[in-house]
Amino acid sequence: MANCSKVSRRNFMQQSALWAAAFAGGGALVPGVASAARDKELNILCWEGYNSAQVLDPFRSSTGATVKAESLTNDPTMINRLRAGETNIWDLINVNNPWARKIMYPENLIKPIDRARFEPYFGKMMPAFNAPYKWAMDDAGANLLGMAQRFGPYSFVVNTDKISRATAEDQGWDLWNDAANDKKYGVQNSDDWNVFDLCCIAGFDPFREHTEEDVAKYTDAAKRVFKGARMVGDLATMNQALVSGEIDFYLTGGTYSCSPARADGNLNIRAITPLRGPMEGGKGGISWIEITSVVNNPDLSTHAENFLEYVQSPEMSHTVAFAEGTFNPVTQMGNADCFKLFNKEELDIIQWDSLEEEMARSAEYDIVPDYDKLLDIMTAAKRETSGG
Amino acid sequence: MNRLFKTFGPGPRLAVPIMLFLLGGFAAPLLAVIAYSFVPARTFSLWQKWSLGNYVEIFQSSIYISFLWSLGLAVATVVILAIVCYPVAFGLTRVFGRWATLITLLFALPLFVSENVRIYGWILFFIKNGVLLGSLKSLFGFELESIVFTTGLTLLGMVYVYLPFMLFPMTLGVSMVPQQTRDAAFDLGASRWQVFKEVDLPLSMPGVVIGFLLTFVLAVGALAEAKVLGGQRVIPITHDIEIAFTYAQNWPLGAAVSVLLMLVVGTLVLLVLRRFDLDTIVGRR
């Protein structure tokens, strides 16, 4: 208070300028304040769900930390934000399976987590995720790179009142090769996944090197699919169009994208995994598994690993599965204490009845070697068929 | 310090804070975008060899289609809005009397609701079995084709969203026409058409031109209408920019397209301003 009494107009301006400069410099001018803040904050870059109040608020209350979570809806953007220098901002990153092992760890964007502390949690997950779980480990199998939680098959979605589940599973990707289906389908603007699906429609595995012949087939498929699409839009638009009868089916989609419609009582809106397809072993669908990793932040929040452990509990796993937005199975459903928290309605929403067989028929999401080229072809196809 | 104070008058000195703000908030990001447009595709550092590669790629690709859609839709929006808004502006100024304030409020109210919310509202209204078609079907047995996800609805959405930006400058322009001048024209035997052509339109041009420019610049950058109402049946240039910065992670290409868009829009605006000097038409010289 004594200091306050000495504030004059002149030194008020000087102090204000100093604080403004310190603020603008992101705390760089006051290192003591900046470093102290890292045990009072946690920053998470994630898909939607982990940023919901149901997940974050209990952690905030128990730790007193300021937890900020930014939600994005595509992996490449999140990875490239770390590449662009945001490793000093984020503490945790939540993306799909191949990125941690194949891209982020080799590029030093993430760091291993304490294996002794976290590996026992994999023992409580569904059997397919038991340790050592491939996508959570580095190539050498020595370091644990993150924790697996939400997952699901992700191929396409149909209105079973218009196309039966059996027909859709049997026809698979050829639904898009049948000219009679023009204007009966939509395309969700999930462009990275649409690249995978267009490869499947063109008849080859997206996750291997592609020949010139493959690329030509892909180009043709891209033009055909976008020309025949009733519309391209976000998942809310897709589900709305399915429910209203504007379209009969859409790609890309799965449990994740159609769960809001199913939660609204539309159980005729169903994610489909084709019975067969061009992926290794004749698999017809593609699945995703999120891996949440600790960012290689030089000034990492002391709460980063604690948060990873916090979301492993049966109660919080259930909350993560049914956080706001979309709803998904979680690996922790392998634990009876977690599974019993899901009621019948929730199990119906996430298509628990066919989950195991659909995952078995799905190849796991992987890096597409020539993704940039295929994405550019798809973007051009979308543009060149516009107005049609 | 005193010398500095003497060299620069109070005007420039007082302008320093806003100049710094504009430098940091407007000029710096703009320069960053321009700089990024010269670095190699799909890279993230400015400190490497610069080239015109991204511009070459643009001219060799089909991006011109998106440019044409954006410019075409923006021009169509401006033309439709000019035809729709002038009579309304005239009514608000000269006809509606005490109801003018209420009607103005009705036109302004949508601005208080997020554009995305309004556009998604339109989808619920127009979609098959939605508010309009569902009601017609259940009440009267009519089953009409849905108009969502079409280029027409994209244009209609743009007209709706940008209507206030044309209407209010235009109303201001019409209100600047002195009633005595109109009365004098009528007294001298001018017909209604002659008064409109010789008095109303020329004297209201400041508002009309500002409305044209404002609406055109906003409409050429429109994205949500084509994405949501149009179901991406049309890909505007802003969509290409968005894809470059997100899924493609090709910031340099996105930056180059942005620079070209700024150049095209800037050139068109300058051409209009050469034809209609704003200072002259608002009566400053």
Side-chain angles (χ1 to χ4, degrees):
Chain A
M1 288 302 284
N3 280 343
C4 290
S5 63
K6 288 178 187 168
V7 171
S8 66
R9 193 173 63 175
R10 180 177 295 257
N11 68 19
F12 171 79
M13 292 305 286
Q14 284 167 344
Q15 285 179 22
S16 301
L18 193 66
W19 278 105
F23 194 69
L29 298 179
V30 276
V33 174
S35 60
R38 298 305 294 156
D39 63 4
K40 292 189 171 54
E41 66 177 37
L42 174 70
N43 296 328
I44 309 170
L45 193 57
C46 56
W47 282 76
E48 83 272 14
Y50 283 105
N51 62 334
S52 74
Q54 298 125 284
V55 175
L56 299 181
D57 280 354
F59 190 78
R60 288 176 176 132
S61 320
S62 65
T63 60
T66 303
V67 184
K68 291 177 192 155
E70 184 176 337
S71 152
L72 294 173
T73 52
N74 72 76
D75 295 327
T77 300
M78 288 195 249
I79 309 298
N80 282 307
R81 285 180 66 170
L82 297 192
R83 282 174 173 153
E86 292 191 15
T87 45
N88 58 359
I89 295 174
W90 303 105
D91 301 299
L92 291 171
I93 180 164
N94 159 250
V95 285
N96 284 302
N97 47 299
W99 297 98
R101 178 189 173 105
K102 294 194 171 179
I103 305 290
M104 292 195 292
Y105 187 61
E107 292 184 20
N108 279 325
L109 299 172
I110 55 171
K111 59 172 93 175
I113 55 176
D114 183 352
R115 197 168 172 176
R117 180 181 179 186
F118 286 101
E119 205 156 69
Y121 286 104
F122 284 87
K124 294 178 187 171
M125 294 180 189
M126 293 161 77
F129 302 94
N130 288 166
Y133 179 56
K134 176 190 165 187
W135 294 113
M137 305 298 293
D138 67 352
D139 272 345
N143 292 302
L144 183 60
L145 303 179
M147 297 301 288
Q149 191 151 45
R150 299 185 293 193
F151 69 98
Y154 208 54
S155 297
F156 59 86
V157 173
V158 304
N159 177 348
T160 53
D161 291 345
K162 301 286 179 68
I163 302 173
S164 72
R165 177 185 164 191
T167 304
E169 285 181 344
D170 187 48
Q171 284 204 27
W173 301 107
D174 280 338
L175 280 170
W176 280 269
N177 288 322
D178 184 350
N181 285 331
D182 274 11
K183 304 300 173 193
K184 288 184 183 170
Y185 63 85
V187 178
Q188 197 204 147
N189 53 7
S190 179
D191 280 0
D192 43 354
W193 282 82
N194 291 338
V195 167
F196 311 163
D197 294 354
L198 288 173
C199 290
C200 294
I201 292 167
F204 56 83
D205 184 344
F207 306 121
R208 62 158 169 79
E209 293 288 343
H210 299 120
T211 62
E212 284 303 312
E213 192 192 346
D214 289 340
V215 173
K217 282 185 193 168
Y218 174 91
T219 308
D220 175 57
K223 286 181 180 164
R224 209 160 15 82
V225 166
F226 282 103
K227 197 166 179 54
R230 175 84 176 88
M231 87 295 213
V232 181
D234 57 23
L235 68 88
T237 305
M238 289 299 129
N239 289 332
Q240 182 70 43
L242 266 187
V243 170
S244 68
E246 287 277 353
I247 56 171
D248 297 344
F249 52 105
Y250 70 79
L251 65 76
T252 302
T255 326
Y256 158 76
S257 69
C258 72
S259 58
R262 292 177 67 81
D264 209 21
N266 302 292
L267 295 179
N268 55 331
I269 308 301
R270 187 174 181 94
I272 296 291
T273 304
L275 292 176
R276 65 198 83 82
M279 264 78 68
E280 208 176 321
K283 290 184 173 181
I286 302 168
S287 64
W288 55 273
I289 306 101
E290 284 178 355
I291 300 291
T292 308
S293 303
V294 170
V295 174
N296 193 9
N297 187 329
D299 190 14
L300 187 71
S301 165
T302 54
H303 296 291
E305 287 202 354
N306 295 340
F307 184 84
L308 271 186
E309 192 163 36
Y310 155 80
V311 290
Q312 298 302 312
S313 75
E315 294 73 21
M316 198 41 64
S317 296
H318 175 254
T319 305
V320 167
F322 274 82
E324 64 196 39
T326 56
F327 314 116
N328 302 283
V330 286
T331 58
Q332 288 77 8
M333 290 173 83
N335 176 356
D337 288 338
C338 178
F339 187 79
K340 71 182 181 194
L341 299 173
F342 290 81
N343 61 36
K344 186 185 175 305
E345 192 189 345
E346 289 172 336
L347 292 174
D348 279 345
I349 291 168
I350 58 174
Q351 297 184 200
W352 180 255
D353 59 330
S354 60
L355 185 65
E356 195 177 342
E357 56 173 289
E358 293 197 53
M359 287 300 285
R361 287 207 298 269
S362 298
E364 288 163 341
Y365 174 13
D366 209 336
I367 303 294
V368 177
D370 45 0
Y371 171 79
D372 290 343
K373 182 162 79 176
L374 297 184
L375 179 76
D376 288 348
I377 291 171
M378 189 183 80
T379 306
K382 211 192 286 186
R383 186 191 302 127
E384 285 157 20
T385 55
S386 69
Chain B
M1 204 65 179
N2 277 343
R3 204 164 161 188
L4 197 70
F5 271 50
K6 277 177 190 164
T7 313
F8 298 102
R13 288 206 306 272
L14 288 170
V16 166
I18 189 69
M19 291 304 288
L20 288 176
F21 179 73
L22 286 176
L23 275 174
F26 178 72
L30 200 60
L31 288 174
V33 169
I34 294 169
Y36 258 111
S37 73
F38 295 108
V39 305
R42 291 194 159 92
T43 58
F44 300 94
S45 171
L46 286 175
W47 317 117
Q48 49 189 325
K49 199 177 173 199
W50 288 18
S51 77
L52 291 171
N54 297 308
Y55 292 95
V56 173
E57 191 183 332
I58 291 170
F59 285 107
Q60 287 174 345
S61 74
S62 54
I63 287 183
Y64 71 92
I65 297 174
S66 307
F67 264 108
L68 290 177
W69 273 117
S70 284
L71 293 171
L73 283 171
V75 169
T77 304
V78 169
V79 170
I80 294 172
L81 280 175
I83 296 166
V84 170
C85 289
Y86 199 90
V88 181
F90 191 84
L92 285 172
T93 311
R94 311 229 177 264
V95 181
F96 301 146
R98 65 195 173 94
W99 295 102
T101 311
L102 180 67
I103 294 169
T104 306
L105 196 66
L106 288 177
F107 278 112
L109 269 180
L111 291 174
F112 293 95
V113 181
S114 150
E115 182 185 331
N116 281 342
V117 172
R118 282 184 282 149
I119 286 177
Y120 275 104
W122 270 44
I123 287 286
L124 293 177
F125 188 78
F126 285 112
I127 203 167
K128 192 171 182 179
N129 294 318
V131 177
L132 178 66
L133 299 184
S135 305
L136 284 175
K137 191 174 157 186
S138 57
L139 293 175
F140 307 107
F142 293 151
E143 200 155 353
L144 300 175
E145 277 295 307
S146 138
I147 59 163
V148 292
F149 314 127
T150 58
T151 311
L153 194 67
T154 303
L155 180 60
L156 205 58
M158 288 171 71
V159 167
Y160 161 71
V161 167
Y162 298 116
L163 187 139
F165 299 96
M166 178 70 90
L167 179 64
F168 295 134
M170 220 173 222
T171 307
L172 195 68
V174 173
S175 70
M176 285 167 68
V177 181
Q179 184 58 35
Q180 300 91 320
T181 314
R182 302 182 76 245
D183 290 342
F186 280 122
D187 289 347
L188 291 169
S191 64
R192 277 171 182 257
W193 171 245
Q194 281 175 313
V195 171
F196 171 73
K197 206 170 74 136
E198 306 290 337
V199 179
D200 283 330
L201 199 55
L203 293 182
S204 61
M205 275 318 269
V208 174
V209 173
I210 292 167
F212 275 24
L213 289 178
L214 200 57
T215 316
F216 178 77
V217 171
L218 289 171
V220 91
L223 177 61
E225 294 80 7
K227 269 180 101 169
V228 181
L229 296 175
Q232 296 185 32
R233 297 312 307 149
V234 164
I235 305 292
I237 194 65
T238 40
H239 185 92
D240 274 319
I241 294 171
E242 188 189 43
I243 292 294
F245 277 101
T246 54
Y247 288 102
Q249 285 300 301
N250 196 348
W251 297 7
L253 182 73
V257 179
S258 307
V259 169
L260 279 182
L261 180 63
M262 284 187 277
L263 282 175
V264 170
V265 174
T267 307
L268 289 173
V269 169
L270 282 176
L271 283 176
V272 171
L273 288 181
R274 273 185 64 183
R275 174 78 180 79
F276 300 99
D277 183 357
L278 276 185
D279 278 340
T280 306
I281 53 188
V282 298
R284 289 213 191 115
R285 49 171 201 253

